[in-house]
Amino acid sequence: MDDLLRDFLAESAENLARLDHDVVELERDPSNTDLLNSIFRTVHTIKGTCGFLGLDRLEGVSHTAESVLDLLRNGTLAANSDLISDILRSVDVIKGILASLEQTGTEPRGDDSLVIAALEAWLTSTACNGESGVPTLPSVPIMPTPATLAAVEAGQLTNVEQPATPAAPSVETALSAMNSSLRINVAVLDALMNLAGELVLTRNQLLQLSAKDEASVYAAPVQQLNRITAELQSAVMKTRMQPVSSAWSKLPRMVRDIARDTGKRIELDMKGADTELDRQLVQALQDPLMHMVRNSADHGIERPDVRRAAGKSDVGTIRLNAFHEGGQVIVEITDDGAGIDPAAIRRKAIQRGLVRPQVADGMNDKQVLRFLFEPGFSTADAVTHLSGRGVGMDVVRDNVTRVGGTVDLQSSPGFGCTVRIKLPLTLAIVPALLVGVENELFAFPQNCLVELVRVPVENRLAFETLQGVPLYRLREALIPVIDLRALLGLTRDTVTDVTTLVICQAGGSRFGVVVDDVIDTQEIVVKPVGRRVRHIPCYAGCTILGDGRVIMIMDPAGIATMSGMHSTELSPPDVQPAPLDDVRRDSILLFEGGTDGLQAVMLSDVARLEEIAADRIEIAGGRHVVQYRGSLLPLVPASPSMTITSGTSRSVIVFNEGSTSFGIAVNAIHDIVEDCVNLEIAPSRPGVLGTAVIAGRATELIDVSYYMAQSRAPGQLTA
């Protein structure tokens, strides 16, 4: 395949990625001139370049589609549902030809006469007599593609179609535009990420060595290397980031087709399309999103007559929302359809033998809904070409958990359903918690962790056993407990007075893992597991520590599978679970700020946690600052009595506000927990929103906006 054809395919793929979405959007808003011009431009550039490359079949389809689009542009034709369907069919043919061309390097044979005839019927219809009275829409100049421009520059092509107006950019101007960007093979970026990962490992080794001798002449260069490595890692990560919109570009077309096939009226609302995450995670998200949106459109949204009878609008709505929260990407799929009937799920689960009737009767609705993630589970009365075979929800769970994410499903019968998917930002380099079991170390990815619990020997009564399953009572809820030592077959040589539980979340399941000790938190480079242990489900990969040791990265979902744990969170008989919509549990960061007692901040407000060497903290303009990621980061003490530069290092909570950042200096990071925040005592001083009971302790919730204002105020050092 020559370079010109390769460039043409790459450019066409980029243009076609949004074409389905744009054409469907045009059906909703036919008067959108910019959208129509964009669609016309895409088809026009494909037609123009494929003619030069001798792709006759592709040129025939694209030329006819271009002619129809041109009549839409000048107002001779008006967009309607049937016309949009014919245009979409031509887009499917163009995509199929390009896909085959990319695989084989030659244009495939095929008969497109039916598609072309359907388009030509619009060209010859009575609607094209020029007397429709529809005002003519303004045309726009057509830019030659970079592939065509490259051919012009090389002298291979001279008959480039000229822009329609003198104001159009010239070929020379377009070639300046070309020099501002560079197309890079994904394999090169992957190799760069691997090298950055190796650099992180080396950095960790040097940091561990320099920590043993702070007076060493190498301490300062190692700290400088640490800063440069962190900035390089961040820059490399950005090259792999893609907007989540690339994973849902096919959804508008799919929802439109389902609505036409089922006689429903469905509106798809998408927000947060520019939320970015790792390219590998975007790819892993595509299938789960397709399944979830298809379920909402086919099973969730009712027909217009049914919705009217229920007092709803004729038009059902499916909402997609993506956003960052607590260092993770959250994708929510919500519909206002019929919801899911827990009683039907319970009956089906009993019928399939997944649970005994007496056990099912004692399960709450949230537990019952998780049967939907069992392979082959379906409550559909009939199998259709869209769904009903029991394939989908288990695929969603498996694809998401495979990349370290979680899936949670909530439903209100009669009002709709919400699926919440949590994903890490990246898979290559992840923050992890290092734990010790006997003489071995293991790493738990932090995105799967909820909190850490230490149970003294005098509180061992909190452990119970139900039907042979060990449980721990955590804030009036019983969660299963798994002993990692017993699971891995390690010999018990260590006896401690404290039981340490790592509370994990995997696929909607919450459980505790017993370990001997919590060692440290560290950013680790994920390496694949070896062939001899690949069959063991509890291992997600391995990593190399700073001292050269290779340790295993644990997979919480695999741990649950190995232990035979199928139930998730068990409520004690005397406690009634609250309705799903009535209780909101937030992720909360607990820290020691120099005052009496603990302080807290919502984890969703936190951008990053840093440990800053004291000698890096400077004074500028009467305030404390630190050089951080290419700019100066203002530091504000958590309490007025704090001396920020005391000690060898200072824990800093970094916050972002638009394009600016600031840090709150604290004494120590205590924990991350999930709890319901209910402020019971009014604030007694500035910077505090109030006091609440969080994780069983009275805790002050700080006011981030107060500290933000302090970071911007004229510098007045008090400590």
Side-chain angles (χ1 to χ4, degrees):
M1 186 184 299
D2 59 34
D3 292 340
L4 195 58
L5 179 58
R6 187 178 293 108
D7 288 343
F8 166 67
L9 290 173
E11 293 153 11
S12 299
E14 292 175 358
N15 290 330
L16 288 171
R18 284 191 54 84
L19 196 55
D20 276 344
H21 173 272
D22 289 347
V23 174
V24 173
E25 187 64 25
L26 181 65
E27 183 178 25
R28 297 176 54 191
D29 186 10
S31 63
N32 192 327
T33 308
D34 294 336
L35 190 61
L36 180 55
N37 284 329
S38 174
I39 297 169
F40 180 83
R41 260 197 306 268
T42 298
V43 177
H44 176 86
T45 52
I46 292 175
K47 187 265 299 188
T49 307
C50 70
F52 166 71
L53 295 174
L55 305 175
D56 297 334
R57 182 185 171 195
L58 184 58
E59 183 182 16
V61 178
S62 58
H63 175 73
T64 311
E66 177 196 30
S67 300
V68 174
L69 290 168
D70 192 41
L71 292 178
L72 286 172
R73 291 172 71 234
N74 62 36
T76 304
L77 273 178
N80 58 48
S81 181
D82 292 334
L83 175 56
I84 292 297
S85 295
D86 287 339
I87 293 175
L88 287 172
R89 276 191 284 269
S90 69
V91 172
D92 290 340
V93 173
I94 292 173
K95 288 181 177 179
I97 296 174
L98 289 173
S100 180
L101 186 61
E102 184 175 12
Q103 292 177 356
T104 64
T106 58
E107 188 177 40
R109 294 182 179 181
D111 183 8
D112 307 318
S113 57
L114 292 178
V115 174
I116 293 176
L119 293 173
E120 288 178 340
W122 293 102
L123 299 176
T124 58
S125 66
T126 55
C128 299
N129 57 12
E131 300 176 357
S132 62
V134 181
T136 300
L137 299 178
S139 62
V140 295
I142 306 302
M143 276 271 293
T145 67
T148 306
L149 293 170
V152 173
E153 195 175 39
Q156 298 173 299
L157 184 62
T158 58
N159 59 337
V160 181
E161 180 175 340
Q162 293 302 311
T165 66
S170 64
V171 171
E172 291 77 11
T173 303
L175 289 170
S176 301
M178 285 178 60
N179 291 334
S180 65
S181 62
L182 180 65
R183 192 184 305 278
I184 300 178
N185 192 295
V186 172
V188 176
L189 295 180
D190 290 340
L192 187 61
M193 173 57 73
N194 291 334
L195 291 174
E198 296 299 329
L199 182 60
V200 169
L201 292 177
T202 305
R203 184 272 311 267
N204 292 345
Q205 292 176 339
L206 292 174
L207 285 175
Q208 187 164 346
L209 292 173
S210 63
K212 299 177 181 178
D213 184 9
E214 295 183 358
S216 170
V217 294
Y218 300 109
V222 168
Q223 289 296 331
Q224 177 70 3
L225 176 64
N226 180 29
R227 291 194 293 271
I228 295 174
T229 301
E231 293 175 7
L232 177 63
Q233 173 191 336
S234 176
V236 173
M237 294 298 300
K238 289 180 181 178
T239 65
R240 291 173 54 96
M241 303 299 277
Q242 286 186 333
V244 72
S245 59
S246 58
W248 62 37
S249 60
K250 300 178 182 178
L251 299 179
R253 167 76 181 277
M254 183 185 72
V255 170
R256 175 191 181 272
D257 292 345
I258 292 176
R260 282 174 61 87
D261 291 344
T262 59
K264 299 177 180 179
R265 298 180 62 189
I266 306 175
E267 179 178 319
L268 181 62
D269 182 22
M270 299 186 293
K271 295 182 180 179
D274 56 350
T275 303
E276 292 187 331
L277 68 164
D278 192 281
R279 177 183 62 86
Q280 186 177 353
L281 291 167
V282 171
Q283 295 174 345
L285 189 60
Q286 289 180 352
D287 282 347
L289 281 178
M290 292 282 285
H291 284 298
M292 297 313 308
V293 174
R294 182 184 293 113
N295 280 346
S296 292
D298 188 32
H299 293 305
I301 302 297
E302 313 96 327
R303 293 190 307 275
D305 57 330
V306 177
R307 292 181 63 85
R308 283 195 298 271
K312 298 182 180 180
S313 166
D314 286 5
V315 181
T317 302
I318 301 174
R319 290 186 175 88
L320 266 69
N321 189 20
F323 53 93
H324 289 141
E325 181 181 275
Q328 293 180 304
V329 173
I330 311 298
V331 180
E332 291 181 338
I333 306 99
T334 304
D335 67 69
D336 63 351
I340 302 173
D341 183 8
I345 304 296
R346 186 179 282 106
R347 288 194 300 269
K348 191 71 173 184
I350 296 173
Q351 178 184 339
R352 289 192 52 191
L354 297 177
V355 63
R356 295 192 302 274
Q358 58 270 30
V359 176
D361 292 339
M363 298 177 69
N364 59 42
D365 290 348
K366 187 174 183 179
Q367 294 168 337
V368 170
L369 288 177
R370 291 182 183 139
F371 285 119
L372 289 171
F373 294 97
E374 291 293 325
F377 194 96
S378 176
T379 58
D381 296 328
V383 174
T384 69
H385 70 287
L386 294 175
S387 56
R389 293 176 175 84
V391 178
M393 295 300 289
D394 59 318
V395 175
V396 170
R397 180 196 59 191
D398 293 344
N399 283 12
V400 172
T401 56
R402 190 177 297 119
V403 294
T406 61
V407 184
D408 184 46
L409 187 148
Q410 297 182 1
S411 177
S412 298
F415 295 97
C417 183
T418 296
V419 177
R420 183 180 173 94
I421 299 176
K422 284 186 178 182
L423 292 170
L425 283 175
T426 181
L427 296 178
I429 302 174
V430 298
L433 178 74
L434 303 185
V435 301
V437 179
E438 295 302 334
N439 296 320
E440 302 289 340
L441 287 182
F442 300 94
F444 280 81
Q446 286 190 12
N447 64 291
C448 299
L449 304 185
V450 178
E451 59 182 299
L452 300 175
V453 178
R454 293 183 180 272
V455 185
V457 65
E458 58 269 19
N459 292 345
R460 294 292 172 87
L461 292 178
F463 289 95
E464 304 177 27
T465 301
L466 178 63
Q467 298 177 359
V469 178
L471 304 168
Y472 175 72
R473 187 179 294 272
L474 178 64
R475 291 190 292 275
E476 300 306 322
L478 291 174
I479 62 172
V481 173
I482 301 170
D483 190 338
L484 191 58
R485 178 190 297 104
L487 185 71
L488 299 179
L490 299 176
T491 304
R492 176 181 290 275
D493 294 328
T494 305
V495 178
T496 61
D497 294 333
V498 176
T499 298
T500 302
L501 291 178
V502 179
I503 309 299
C504 300
Q505 182 95 14
S509 303
R510 183 169 297 184
F511 54 92
V513 179
V514 179
V515 300
D516 290 341
D517 199 8
V518 174
I519 308 300
D520 195 7
T521 59
Q522 192 176 107
E523 286 190 330
I524 61 174
V525 179
V526 179
K527 299 289 186 180
V529 295
R531 176 175 54 84
R532 295 187 177 182
V533 295
R534 192 172 297 164
H535 64 284
I536 304 177
C538 68
Y539 296 139
C542 62
T543 190
I544 304 175
L545 296 183
D547 57 6
R549 282 184 293 172
V550 178
I551 67 170
M552 305 306 295
I553 303 172
M554 307 307 292
D555 179 5
I559 291 175
T561 300
M562 282 188 65
S563 67
M565 187 196 75
H566 299 293
S567 61
T568 53
E569 190 175 87
L570 303 177
S571 299
D574 56 338
V575 177
Q576 290 294 327
L580 294 176
D581 295 335
D582 292 349
V583 176
R584 175 180 174 86
R585 300 178 68 85
D586 296 288
S587 295
I588 306 165
L589 175 69
L590 303 178
F591 63 90
E592 298 173 8
T595 61
D596 294 334
L598 289 178
Q599 292 180 286
V601 64
M602 294 298 182
L603 190 60
S604 58
D605 294 333
V606 177
R608 194 173 177 87
L609 302 178
E610 297 284 359
E611 192 72 19
I612 305 294
D615 57 6
R616 287 182 53 198
I617 301 175
E618 307 174 59
I619 297 177
R623 71 181 71 186
H624 289 107
V625 296
V626 63
Q627 297 182 36
Y628 181 77
R629 299 194 172 193
S631 61
L632 290 177
L633 180 73
L635 297 182
V636 181
S639 66
S641 61
M642 177 187 296
T643 303
I644 292 183
T645 55
S646 65
T648 58
S649 64
R650 174 67 61 186
S651 297
V652 174
I653 308 173
V654 180
F655 300 84
N656 289 341
E657 176 64 24
S659 59
T660 62
S661 303
F662 74 98
I664 298 180
V666 303
N667 286 343
I669 303 297
H670 186 74
D671 202 354
I672 295 176
V673 300
E674 282 194 0
D675 208 340
C676 303
V677 178
N678 181 25
L679 297 177
E680 300 181 23
I681 300 178
S684 58
R685 58 186 177 84
V688 177
L689 295 174
T691 303
V693 177
I694 301 176
R697 296 182 60 176
T699 307
E700 287 184 332
L701 187 68
I702 68 168
D703 183 359
V704 177
S705 61
Y706 170 82
Y707 289 95
M708 182 191 306
Q710 292 290 309
S711 72
R712 296 173 178 175
Q716 294 179 349
L717 291 180
T718 59

